[in-house]
Amino acid sequence: ESDIDRNRLPAAKGKSYELGLKSEWLDQRIYATGSVFKSKQYGLAEYAGYIPDTLDSYYVGVDTFVEGYEFEVAGRVTPDWTLNGGWTALSIEDQDGNDARTYLPRRTLKLSSVYTLPALRNLRLGGAVRWQSEVETADLGTTIEQDAYVLVDLVASVELVERLRASVNVKNTFDEKYWGSLKWTQAFYGPPRSVMATLDYTF
């Protein structure tokens, strides 16, 4: 990226540190991990505006400092019940201790699970939940905010006959209205609720 005088910014430099633990549960059917991390990035290119009298963007090098932790779990609670999930929390600050890159969520949660009922033609019922905390960005003196939101997806499938399975997937079940990203000075709405039915035949 280039600065306001069209000079190429020097390469960013930094260091990252991470410490983690992993454990197994329920006779090794489920594993869980936890970690803490910290990184220092110097001179990372950050969009700063347009070069005067042009539509060309310019950037400045910003020092950022990230700290956080995360947990993950995955595996089978029972032979018919799978579970996956993760939680991340972090902070991002500049060299003056102010919040930086506020378009990135500070907290995120992801959970998904599928349960199979073998006695009912291998009926599978599942769902996924994705949540993120609020984000914001500033442009031309105006602050734009995206509130925290949650997305829920649902799925169901059943074996009609041998090798033939019917499925129904519902994305964004509650038709949540949200912006996909505030990184740039424009934003697009995320996909609305959708329903898809499929037939799968296995050879």
Side-chain angles (χ1 to χ4, degrees), residues 117-190:
L117 299 168
L120 299 178
R121 294 184 177 273
N122 285 321
L123 174 66
R124 294 175 187 167
L125 301 174
V129 176
R130 291 167 288 159
W131 175 88
Q132 73 165 50
S133 59
E134 68 280 358
V135 294
E136 65 178 38
T137 191
D139 185 50
L140 300 177
T142 301
T143 298
I144 306 298
E145 299 179 352
Q146 165 66 66
D147 293 336
Y149 64 87
V150 61
L151 302 177
V152 178
D153 300 334
L154 298 175
V155 61
S157 70
V158 65
E159 194 175 79
L160 299 178
V161 295
E162 186 178 1
R163 297 185 178 183
L164 181 63
R165 176 169 288 272
S167 304
V168 176
N169 289 268
V170 183
K171 300 288 188 180
N172 192 2
T173 304
F174 300 105
D175 205 20
E176 183 73 18
K177 192 174 183 180
Y178 66 99
W179 287 316
S181 173
L182 293 181
K183 182 175 181 179
W184 310 107
T185 54
Q186 61 179 347
F188 297 95
Y189 285 112

Side-chain angles (χ1 to χ4, degrees), residues 3-203:
D3 62 19
I4 195 170
D5 297 317
R6 298 186 184 278
N7 296 316
R8 186 62 55 91
L9 294 176
K13 298 180 179 180
K15 296 180 180 180
S16 296
Y17 309 89
E18 183 173 357
L19 177 65
L21 295 173
K22 179 179 178 179
S23 63
E24 296 177 335
W25 302 79
L26 301 178
D27 295 327
Q28 300 181 339
R29 293 198 306 270
I30 288 184
Y31 73 86
T33 62
S35 64
V36 294
F37 53 86
K38 181 177 183 178
S39 69
K40 303 176 181 179
Q41 298 173 314
Y42 301 98
L44 195 62
E46 181 82 15
Y47 170 78
Y50 291 109
I51 297 175
D53 301 322
T54 75
L55 293 178
D56 297 332
S57 302
Y58 75 93
Y59 296 77
V60 296
V62 176
D63 298 340
T64 57
F65 305 91
V66 180
E67 293 183 353
Y69 63 92
E70 62 183 1
F71 299 104
E72 292 186 359
V73 61
R76 292 184 177 274
V77 181
T78 69
D80 301 319
W81 181 15
T82 62
L83 177 68
N84 291 275
W87 166 264
T88 302
L90 54 82
S91 66
I92 308 175
E93 297 180 347
D94 62 18
Q95 57 266 37
D96 298 318
N98 301 313
D99 285 340
R101 300 183 178 268
T102 55
Y103 53 81
L104 295 175
R106 275 18 184 193
R107 299 178 304 281
T108 57
L109 172 68
K110 295 181 179 180
L111 290 173
S112 64
S113 184
V114 175
Y115 193 83
T116 303
L117 299 168
L120 299 178
R121 294 184 177 273
N122 285 321
L123 174 66
R124 294 175 187 167
L125 301 174
V129 176
R130 291 167 288 159
W131 175 88
Q132 73 165 50
S133 59
E134 68 280 358
V135 294
E136 65 178 38
T137 191
D139 185 50
L140 300 177
T142 301
T143 298
I144 306 298
E145 299 179 352
Q146 165 66 66
D147 293 336
Y149 64 87
V150 61
L151 302 177
V152 178
D153 300 334
L154 298 175
V155 61
S157 70
V158 65
E159 194 175 79
L160 299 178
V161 295
E162 186 178 1
R163 297 185 178 183
L164 181 63
R165 176 169 288 272
S167 304
V168 176
N169 289 268
V170 183
K171 300 288 188 180
N172 192 2
T173 304
F174 300 105
D175 205 20
E176 183 73 18
K177 192 174 183 180
Y178 66 99
W179 287 316
S181 173
L182 293 181
K183 182 175 181 179
W184 310 107
T185 54
Q186 61 179 347
F188 297 95
Y189 285 112
R193 178 173 52 226
S194 63
V195 181
M196 180 174 64
T198 59
L199 286 174
D200 296 295
Y201 184 79
T202 303
F203 292 93

